[in-house]
């Protein structure tokens, strides 16, 4: 056996954007390579929302009236932003499961033994999970167009709507990361770790007009950040919005989306990084 | 800076009411290989995790490369390489991509990382598989990639947690070669193992722990001396006569243990023992198929120290993997 001969290690100079971002990008690249190597994962994460679009558009489409809009295909127009919102919310799932897997395989232990920036593993994870949603949104948009959905309020507004959706994806990815760091194994992460996503997405205006919900559910749904996100998207895409009950988040949908995302990112990034610094695989 | 790469004093770690470590003292001199030996649940992994900054000790202190593991974790991390008990590589990345990722995270220059990766892949006989996802690797290949990953930055101190568990004998020998080679180049190694042979082969200094406490410490030779002289081993042709044989050997020494037709007993007195044994057995007409005098192995040491064999998975009475406060042990 030969001996190693490489000269002493040479360090790279600090990039202008700092080590945390550098390390975050290295981890994000790794997570995105994984997406390319396991296309099944991406494929199946696309199948569900596409089926939702078809199901709601053709099966329930006529059954749900949209207050304030009598057009025959009003529900289809109303539905698409809801599906967008629900789909990006599930970006959290890949963060939760991905981190639980990394912990389980001992990769988190290894990362933690490196002289790298501690938040970077989580920054890379959340960034990659949000970035994947770009492709998901493209596929959904195409599906929407096939079933007759239309963007009806100019390109700039539409781009801003997609921007809000990605911001929201990034936000839930942080929540998902925090949940993932508490999961004992990937199997639990895949089930128990995702439970909170169902009330979050269904107790909202994503699929039904908010004033069709009874009392306290209406209050919850009105303050649910996903409702403001979906409403903001409906407004920006020029789709029917229904009639909003009198809640601040629904009167200021864009502002509330920006505020709630910022607050949630700050809270969950702090909690996640703190948890990450003391977690070990068993 | 001191001459010690690793110093641990009174390390205690409790997980709830499980006392994983009960006050471990440990020193590893620069350039030395120390073997941390102990059965399942002894606290080997916990010790390594504290020394590599992954866990905070409940009490006690430790310095690695002259830095405190609790107060200066970044400096410690820059000096160490860690290979955990289970191979920790990204399955979806290729071997080469894995090494590149870890090199980037060590903030090494891309050119250096490229050269170093190629060299490590070659050294660990992974060049052919270098561009395949690690998912397709065998357990031994993963283990080698795992070790390669911890060597990208040429750490001066290496922690290896059961590096050869699950490897076939050939891979194990290969890995021993790699470790010896690193040591020749000046790397300090703390390795844990359940294999006494491994500690014997690689480590100059052996620390035996059980239930989170050091129960013996020394070179392999010192540990063997500690349990006294040589061992006489006799195999008799007829298993039914084992009892007779033990009785016949009674004049030579006590404490014989028998397993099927094989008898093993501690003796003193050098090679005349062999002659005495042959005479005693012959006088009783017991036919012998094998007779030898050997130095004790670390297995004998372990058995003598802990009351159970090293690879024996059965935990100490009624304690499960951990030892509890209520002192069931
Ligand atoms: N995170 C944890 N939570 C609770 N108990 C733990 C934890 N980690 C380790 N332990 C307990 O601490 C004790 C020592 O464990 P450790 O993993 O250090 O043993 P080990 O010597 O490495 O064993 P093995 O040979 O099985 O790897 C065991 O009883 C184990 O169950
Ligand atoms: Mg262990």
């Amino acid at each position: 056996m030969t001996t190693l001969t490489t000269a002493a290690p040479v360090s790279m100079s600090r990039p202008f954007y700092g080590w945390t971002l550098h390390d975050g990008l290295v981890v994000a690249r790794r997570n995105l390579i994984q997406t390319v190597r396991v296309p099944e994962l991406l494929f199946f994460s696309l199948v569900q929302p596409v089926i939702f679009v078809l199901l709601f558009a053709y099966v329930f489409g006529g059954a749900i009236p949209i207050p304030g809009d009598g057009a025959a295909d009003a529900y289809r127009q109303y539905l698409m932003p809801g599906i967008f919102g629900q789909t990006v919310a599930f970006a959290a799932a890949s963060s939760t499961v991905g981190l639980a897997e990394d912990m389980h395989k001992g990769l988190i232990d290894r990362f933690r033994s490196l002289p790298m920036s501690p938040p970077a593993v989580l920054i890379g994870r959340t960034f990659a999970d949000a970035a994947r949603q770009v492709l998901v949104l493209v596929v959904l948009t195409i599906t929407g167009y096939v079933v007759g959905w239309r963007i009806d309020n100019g390109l700039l507004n539409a781009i801003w709507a997609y921007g809000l959706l990605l911001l929201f994806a990034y936000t839930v990815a942080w929540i998902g990361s925090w949940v993932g760091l508490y999961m004992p194994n990937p199997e639990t992460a895949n089930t128990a770790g995702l439970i909170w996503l169902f009330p979050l997405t269904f107790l909202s205006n994503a699929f039904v007009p908010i004033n069709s919900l009874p009392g306290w559910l209406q209050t919850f749904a009105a303050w649910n950040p996903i409702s403001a996100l979906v409403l903001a998207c409906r407004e920006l895409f020029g789709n029917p919005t229904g009639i909003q009950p009198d809640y601040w988040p629904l009167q200021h949908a864009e502002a509330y989306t920006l505020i709630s995302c910022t607050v949630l990112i700050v809270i969950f990034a702090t909690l996640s990084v703190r948890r990450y610094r003391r977690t070990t695989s068993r | 800076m001191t001459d010690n790469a690793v110093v641990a004093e009174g390390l205690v770690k409790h997980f709830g009411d499980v006392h994983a470590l009960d006050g471990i003292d440990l020193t590893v001199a620069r350039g030395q290989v120390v073997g941390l030996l102990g059965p399942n649940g002894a606290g080997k992994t916990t010790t390594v995790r504290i020394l590599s900054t992954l866990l905070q000790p409940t009490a006690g202190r430790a310095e690695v490369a002259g830095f405190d593991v609790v107060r200066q974790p970044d400096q410690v991390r820059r000096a160490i390489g860690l290979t955990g008990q289970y191979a920790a590589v990204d399955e979806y990345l290729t071997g080469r991509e894995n090494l590149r990722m870890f090199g980037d995270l060590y903030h090494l220059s891309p050119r250096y990382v490229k050269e170093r990766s190629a060299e490590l892949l070659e050294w660990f006989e992974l060049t052919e598989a270098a561009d395949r996802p690690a998912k397709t690797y065998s357990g031994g290949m993963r283990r080698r990639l795992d070790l390669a990953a911890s060597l990208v930055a040429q750490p001066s101190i290496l922690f290896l947690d059961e590096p050869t568990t699950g490897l076939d004998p050939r891979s194990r020998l290969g890995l021993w070669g790699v470790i010896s080679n690193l040591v020749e180049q000046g790397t300090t190694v703390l390795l844990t193992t359940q294999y006494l042979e491994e500690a014997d082969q690689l480590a100059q200094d052996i620390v035996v722990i059980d239930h989170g406490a050091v129960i013996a410490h020394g070179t392999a030779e010192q540990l063997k001396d500690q349990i006294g002289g040589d061992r006489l081993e006799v195999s008799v042709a007829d298993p039914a006569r084992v009892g007779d044989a033990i009785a016949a050997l009674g004049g030579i020494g006590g404490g014989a243990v028998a397993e099927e037709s094989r008898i093993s007993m501690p003796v003193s007195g050098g090679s005349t023992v062999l002659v005495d044994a042959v005479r005693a057995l012959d006088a009783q007409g017991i036919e012998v198929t094998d007779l030898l005098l050997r130095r004790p192995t670390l297995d004998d040491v372990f058995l003598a120290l802990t009351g159970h064999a090293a690879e024996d998975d059965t935990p100490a009475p009624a304690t499960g993997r951990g030892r509890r406060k209520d002192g069931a042990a």
Side-chain angles (χ1 to χ4, degrees):
Chain A
M1 185 176 288
T2 57
T3 52
L4 296 172
T5 52
T6 307
V10 187
S11 295
M12 64 181 282
S13 49
R14 185 177 177 280
F16 71 90
Y17 44 83
W19 287 124
T20 301
L21 198 55
H22 169 269
D23 295 350
L25 290 173
V26 171
V27 176
R29 181 179 62 204
R30 164 223 167 201
N31 289 331
L32 290 172
I33 289 178
Q34 184 169 338
T35 310
V36 180
R37 296 274 154 80
V38 201
E40 308 92 88
L41 275 181
L42 188 63
F43 178 76
F44 287 111
S45 72
L46 285 171
V47 165
Q48 195 222 359
V50 167
I51 289 179
F52 258 66
V53 173
L54 300 176
L55 214 60
F56 276 88
Y58 293 111
V59 182
F60 306 119
I64 303 174
I66 304 304
D69 196 316
D73 72 338
Y75 187 66
R76 241 170 252 184
Q77 305 300 328
Y78 179 84
L79 172 72
M80 278 312 294
I83 302 250
F84 283 144
Q86 190 213 27
T87 306
V88 293
F90 274 83
S94 57
S95 304
T96 302
V97 177
L99 277 177
E101 268 173 7
D102 284 353
M103 268 194 307
H104 191 67
K105 290 185 185 144
L107 266 168
I108 297 289
D109 278 0
R110 165 147 268 157
F111 285 136
R112 286 190 58 233
S113 78
L114 299 181
M116 63 184 282
S117 152
V121 169
L122 303 172
I123 290 175
R125 177 91 244 166
T126 49
F127 182 79
D129 289 336
R132 249 194 302 269
Q133 298 303 311
V134 174
L135 189 62
V136 174
L137 288 174
V138 168
V139 171
L140 270 185
T141 301
I142 295 169
T143 316
Y145 263 78
V146 170
V147 302
W149 173 70
R150 291 294 176 265
I151 291 174
D152 207 11
N153 193 21
L155 189 62
L156 279 183
N157 281 329
I159 291 175
W160 180 219
Y162 285 118
L164 289 179
L165 286 164
L166 290 176
L167 173 67
F168 190 77
Y170 190 65
T171 306
V172 290
W174 274 109
I175 304 177
S177 298
W178 178 72
V179 174
L181 289 170
Y182 282 90
M183 292 292 119
N185 55 54
E187 293 73 30
T188 310
N190 228 327
T191 50
L194 309 184
I195 285 178
W196 61 279
L197 280 165
F198 292 93
L200 179 80
T201 53
F202 283 98
L203 300 181
S204 73
N205 63 0
F207 303 107
V208 293
I210 217 159
N211 37 23
S212 69
L213 295 171
W216 66 272
L217 274 185
Q218 194 175 95
T219 312
F220 179 90
W223 287 90
N224 185 347
I226 204 170
S227 295
L229 169 77
V230 169
L231 177 59
C233 288
R234 286 185 179 130
E235 287 165 359
L236 289 164
F237 285 135
N239 297 143
T241 58
I243 294 163
Q244 307 313 319
D246 192 16
Y247 291 98
W248 193 89
L250 301 178
Q251 306 307 330
H252 308 86
E254 273 179 53
Y256 184 68
T257 304
L258 292 174
I259 294 169
S260 57
C261 285
T262 311
V263 170
L264 288 171
I265 289 175
V266 170
I267 292 174
F268 283 95
T270 311
L271 291 175
S272 305
V273 172
R274 187 183 302 170
R275 172 71 187 173
Y276 173 85
R277 283 170 175 276
R278 41 191 62 224
T279 185
T280 48
S281 59
R282 282 259 15 228
Chain B
M1 217 176 248
T2 60
D3 285 338
N4 286 326
V6 179
V7 183
E9 284 167 7
L11 284 186
V12 172
K13 181 69 190 180
H14 296 174
F15 296 102
D17 59 0
V18 178
H19 291 198
L21 299 185
D22 254 348
I24 297 265
D25 296 314
L26 190 73
T27 40
V28 185
R30 230 161 253 290
Q32 204 186 20
V33 188
V34 168
L36 195 56
L37 192 66
N40 286 134
K44 303 181 294 295
T45 299
T46 306
T47 306
V48 167
R49 282 185 170 163
I50 290 175
L51 295 176
S52 53
T53 77
L54 298 183
L55 279 180
Q56 306 244 335
T58 308
R61 54 178 287 282
E63 271 182 19
V64 171
F67 300 107
D68 188 278
V69 294
V70 176
R71 283 181 288 112
Q72 300 163 295
D74 279 339
Q75 284 91 328
V76 171
R77 289 175 192 150
R78 259 184 272 281
I80 62 168
L82 168 68
T83 301
Q85 187 164 355
Y86 307 99
V89 292
D90 187 309
E91 302 199 313
Y92 303 103
L93 299 189
T94 66
R96 201 186 301 280
E97 286 167 343
N98 265 292
L99 297 186
R100 173 172 169 204
M101 171 174 73
F102 292 118
D104 287 348
L105 293 175
Y106 272 111
H107 304 161
L108 298 167
S109 85
R111 226 187 94 201
Y112 167 81
V113 173
K114 203 169 165 211
E115 279 171 24
R116 178 71 175 171
S117 308
E119 181 186 50
L120 286 168
L121 288 165
E122 188 67 40
W123 202 42
F124 284 96
E125 296 169 30
L126 289 169
T127 304
E128 248 172 75
D131 298 305
R132 275 190 355 228
K135 211 178 175 52
T136 66
Y137 287 15
S138 72
M141 290 163 82
R142 269 184 222 208
R143 199 64 193 157
R144 279 180 278 154
L145 179 61
D146 194 39
L147 189 51
S150 58
L151 296 176
V152 173
Q154 307 189 24
S156 61
I157 302 170
L158 202 54
F159 295 113
L160 306 174
D161 196 359
E162 301 198 19
T164 65
T165 300
L167 295 189
D168 64 28
R170 186 180 156 271
S171 311
R172 177 169 302 155
L173 280 175
L175 217 57
W176 287 359
V178 168
I179 295 167
S180 313
N181 217 314
L182 288 168
V183 173
E184 267 164 40
Q185 292 173 51
T187 311
T188 306
V189 179
L190 177 67
L191 82 115
T192 79
T193 181
Q194 298 187 37
Y195 300 112
L196 304 155
E197 193 194 351
E198 187 160 288
D200 207 354
Q201 282 280 330
L202 291 174
Q204 291 121 11
D205 214 5
I206 296 171
V207 175
V208 185
I209 65 172
D210 199 16
H211 296 303
V214 176
I215 55 172
H217 173 208
T219 63
E221 287 309 303
Q222 285 169 343
L223 290 177
K224 289 170 188 172
D225 286 343
Q226 204 172 319
I227 66 154
D230 298 337
R231 296 193 77 87
L232 176 71
E233 304 228 339
V234 182
S235 295
V236 295
D238 179 3
R241 301 212 61 191
V242 165
D244 296 342
I246 291 176
L249 293 169
I252 297 170
V257 283
E259 204 177 302
E260 287 170 31
S261 61
R262 194 167 185 83
I263 301 161
S264 173
M265 63 194 292
V267 291
S268 52
S271 51
T272 59
V273 170
L274 279 176
V275 182
D276 297 342
V278 172
R279 288 211 181 108
L281 292 165
D282 196 42
Q284 300 299 318
I286 298 168
E287 199 184 329
V288 172
T289 55
D290 193 15
L291 180 72
L292 64 97
L293 192 63
R294 63 166 175 82
R295 293 281 289 142
T297 64
L298 277 171
D299 275 304
D300 302 318
V301 176
F302 210 89
L303 203 56
L305 287 170
T306 66
H308 55 95
E311 273 148 303
D312 180 356
D313 214 19
T314 36
T319 55
R321 292 230 317 152
R323 198 159 62 136
R324 295 185 178 267
K325 258 198 199 116
D326 54 26

